[in-house]
Amino acid sequence: MSIIRPGVAGTQPPLLYPPYKSTILRAPAQPLVRLPESMSDLNIPVYGYFPIGETDNDLTRQYPEEPQGERIVVAGRVLDEDGRPVRGALVELWQTNAGGRYRHAKDDHPARLDPNFGGAGRTITDTEGRYQFTTIKPGAYPWRNHDNAWRPAHIHFSIFGWCFRTRLVTQMYFPGDPLIAHDPVLQAIHDERARQRLVSRFDLALTQPEWALGYRFDIVVRGSAATPFEERV
Ligand SMILES: [Fe+2]
């Protein structure tokens, strides 16, 4: 039996962080109420109605032509607090196109949609906890949180274990991005080393010659070295 060790203060984002304005409305105003768990919590389906398709982890091959932008490979492992692989986890991602535009009705950023880029993908970790995606490097986008506010380029990740209640949500950033220092979403995490866990690592070994740059992003689901998560179901 494994023992779940508690996280370390300052390594996870607080629910309320006023410089990140949306948290003012999102954060609970009343004390939390703990709901009793039941067996149904463990039986809610995770994978939806459709099996994972051949191009679900390759966002450059989901439309008739290739999308615009810088092709990248993003790969890593999903690990538990002791460095053991989390096998069979559903890893989903969503992101903007190269111009910083989401394919979403509420995104009115004046950048062009790419007819060959949807911005969503999914895959399952293998027996070593590994996942891999091919995609396009997302662009920065303005978000009106404060004056001249721009989100650094990032990719949203969701990780499911074997039931719906295990969902974790986070964001991956790119090394050397000057917007990181100005981003309240990332700066809400007090601990500098924990913030760095959200910044992917350029990996020449993962980089494919004359094809795509490689970035490595490991995800630790719990414990003192856990990846910062913005949402825990
Ligand atoms: Fe985003």
Side-chain angles (χ1 to χ4, degrees), residues 2 17 23 52 55 75 91 134 142 163-164 180 188 195 202 206 209 227:
S2 66
Y17 183 67
T23 67
I52 289 183
T55 62
V91 180
T134 302
C163 71
F164 191 80
I180 285 176
R195 283 201 298 274
F202 171 69
L206 185 62
T227 301

Side-chain angles (χ1 to χ4, degrees), residues 36-104:
E37 293 184 342
S38 72
M39 281 303 290
S40 65
D41 293 328
L42 306 180
N43 292 316
I44 299 170
V46 167
Y47 298 117
Y49 298 106
F50 304 106
I52 289 183
E54 183 199 347
T55 62
D56 281 10
N57 72 336
D58 188 344
L59 285 73
T60 68
R61 292 198 297 132
Q62 295 175 346
Y63 289 85
E65 296 179 30
E66 272 217 84
Q68 295 282 329
E70 181 184 336
R71 198 184 296 112
I72 60 173
V73 174
V74 178
R77 298 178 74 200
V78 181
L79 302 164
D80 75 7
E81 60 198 325
D82 295 315
R84 293 174 299 204
V86 179
R87 305 180 176 100
L90 176 66
V91 180
E92 299 171 293
L93 62 72
W94 62 99
Q95 61 168 96
T96 71
N97 64 23
R101 176 89 184 260
Y102 285 104
R103 187 182 285 270
H104 190 282

Side-chain angles (χ1 to χ4, degrees), residues 94 96 102 141 151 154 156 171:
W94 62 99
T96 71
Y102 285 104
Y141 61 81
R151 295 293 333 275
H154 60 276
H156 296 264
Q171 298 182 31

